[in-house]
Amino acid sequence: MAKVFCVANQKGGVGKTTTAVNLAAGLAKIGQRVLLVDLDPQGNATMGAGVDKRTLNPTVYEVLLEGRSVAEAAVFSEKCGFHVLGANRELSGAEVELVNAPERTKRLEKALQPADADFDFVLIDCPPSLSMLTLNGLCAAHGVIVPMQCEYFALEGVADLVNTIQQVQANMNPQLQIIGLLRVMFDPRTTLQQQVSEQLHAHFGDKMFDTVIPRNVRLAEAPSYGLPGVIFDPSAKGSKAFIAFAQEMVERVQRV
Ligand code: ADP
Ligand code: MG
């Protein structure tokens, strides 16, 4: 049975896509069968996994709105070692079209059911908003991975997200839980980041992942080669951290 996780944070540019793509590659490297679902019309996760969003058809849009199956739409990225259910600009129309669709928040969950036995992990890269698309992700998931930067307003932003996740859990998806908060783009030399990191620990305790992802330029360069950092430069600090994170996820999943 596949474990389904959303990578979510309503803020943009916090490292969601980088986390989704590199965790997918890290899990694949340690032998897990992975499906990466891109729910962001920007299609960055799709491109970052070596799949050309411009020529892709069908995409996750046709799966959500036109009844195409995951098996038909997902492509295997040879370079990355995992399957990708990709997205492109077409998906931005889904936001409006889903509003009038039957079971509008449950469509991804329904679509993933027949693919359940084919994967160990399904990772969903969410757009930076609490939209119909994100709700589809949250309704399909067992848990949420929250990447965050240790900045001054971090706690406030996370409090909003925790609130939203609790509401979804209470009203739409009882199994949903926060799997953990992942500190990304971390610079241990910055006193402020260390302080915020300590505050987060005091507040969230074991909901903090042990692994911390450092700020590392190789992770930022990799997408322009259509590769996850983990594959583009496995020896980079950031790549090693994502491999460690993949291992931590496998261990956590065995516990929940
Ligand atoms: P989001 O999906 O939340 O919008 P991205 O994953 O696209 O965020 O990251 C935003 C930017 O930060 C991108 O340019 C990405 O390459 C860069 N980035 C993400 N994580 C790191 C990191 N650990 N070190 C350096 N740059 C990073
Ligand atoms: Mg993104």
Side-chain angles (χ1 to χ4, degrees):
M1 209 190 81
K3 278 284 177 192
V4 184
F5 299 109
C6 270
V7 181
N9 189 324
Q10 72 277 28
K11 279 179 73 175
V14 289
K16 289 182 290 298
T17 300
T18 305
T19 299
V21 168
N22 282 285
L23 176 58
L27 287 168
K29 268 201 172 189
I30 57 174
Q32 304 292 311
R33 297 167 306 157
V34 182
L35 171 67
L36 175 66
V37 180
D38 192 351
L39 272 192
D40 189 334
Q42 291 187 63
N44 292 344
T46 306
M47 296 294 276
V51 176
D52 190 347
K53 65 179 178 183
R54 294 160 297 192
T55 54
L56 193 64
N57 186 33
T59 66
V60 70
Y61 174 89
E62 283 78 14
V63 171
L64 290 173
L65 284 146
E66 293 176 359
R68 301 294 287 269
S69 70
V70 170
E72 281 174 283
V75 294
F76 185 70
S77 170
E78 294 283 347
K79 287 186 286 186
C80 299
F82 55 83
H83 281 80
V84 182
L85 179 53
N88 56 30
R89 286 161 65 186
E90 192 185 16
L91 187 61
S92 53
E95 208 56 73
V96 177
E97 290 161 48
L98 278 170
V99 173
N100 295 315
E103 296 203 89
R104 57 189 182 178
T105 58
K106 299 280 184 184
R107 300 180 75 92
L108 182 61
E109 183 191 7
K110 289 262 152 64
L112 286 173
Q113 275 162 6
D116 194 56
D118 299 333
F119 301 103
D120 301 306
F121 283 89
V122 177
L123 301 176
I124 305 169
D125 186 31
C126 288
S129 58
L130 185 67
S131 59
M132 222 24 131
L133 289 167
T134 302
L135 279 177
N136 263 274
L138 293 175
C139 283
H142 300 108
V144 188
I145 297 165
V146 182
M148 57 179 306
Q149 294 177 50
C150 291
E151 288 171 344
Y152 188 60
F153 289 116
L155 263 175
E156 226 169 279
V158 172
D160 288 345
L161 185 64
V162 169
N163 223 333
T164 303
I165 291 166
Q166 281 168 350
Q167 281 179 29
V168 173
Q169 196 240 5
N171 299 305
M172 294 184 222
N173 177 5
Q175 67 177 350
L176 188 68
Q177 52 171 314
I178 294 188
I179 299 298
L181 307 181
L182 178 68
R183 286 158 284 181
V184 298
M185 298 190 226
F186 194 76
D187 179 359
R189 292 163 304 181
T190 312
T191 313
L192 175 65
Q193 291 209 15
Q194 270 178 0
Q195 284 170 350
V196 172
S197 182
E198 279 161 25
Q199 277 179 7
L200 284 167
H201 245 297
H203 210 268
F204 291 101
D206 63 1
K207 286 283 177 199
M208 302 300 294
F209 285 112
D210 297 333
T211 310
V212 176
I213 310 296
R215 184 174 283 284
N216 179 209
V217 70
R218 301 300 271 170
L219 292 175
E221 287 168 354
S224 63
Y225 297 87
L227 289 172
V230 160
I231 291 167
F232 174 62
D233 184 355
S235 65
K237 250 189 179 166
S239 304
K240 286 184 176 160
F242 271 115
I243 296 283
F245 180 47
Q247 270 149 356
E248 186 178 358
M249 275 302 292
V250 170
E251 282 157 27
R252 280 214 182 205
V253 163
Q254 281 160 0
R255 275 190 271 142
V256 292

